[in-house]
Amino acid sequence: MNRRQLLKSSIALAVVSQTGPLWALDGAEPFSDELFEEALASGEPFLLDFTATW
């Protein structure tokens, strides 16, 4: 790996690391028991993502 490739990779990683969380929030909804039951009943795969502020 030469310096130019290293520089490009470093810049790309910095950009993706700053914009990645924005993509994760797209379409996210707050958790509720009703939405959870609805997702279970649909039979389709779904993802629960929990975070903590501490």
Side-chain angles (χ1 to χ4, degrees), residues 22-53:
L22 296 177
W23 298 329
L25 294 176
D26 188 32
E29 297 184 29
F31 179 81
S32 71
D33 289 332
E34 295 81 23
L35 284 175
F36 179 70
E37 294 298 329
E38 184 179 319
L40 280 177
S42 74
E44 296 181 11
F46 61 94
L47 175 70
L48 295 178
D49 182 23
F50 295 92
T51 59
T53 57

Side-chain angles (χ1 to χ4, degrees), residues 1-18:
M1 176 179 281
N2 62 29
R3 286 185 212 154
R4 186 175 295 162
Q5 288 174 322
L6 180 62
L7 182 60
K8 284 182 183 179
S9 298
S10 299
I11 291 172
L13 182 59
V15 168
V16 169
S17 68
Q18 295 301 314

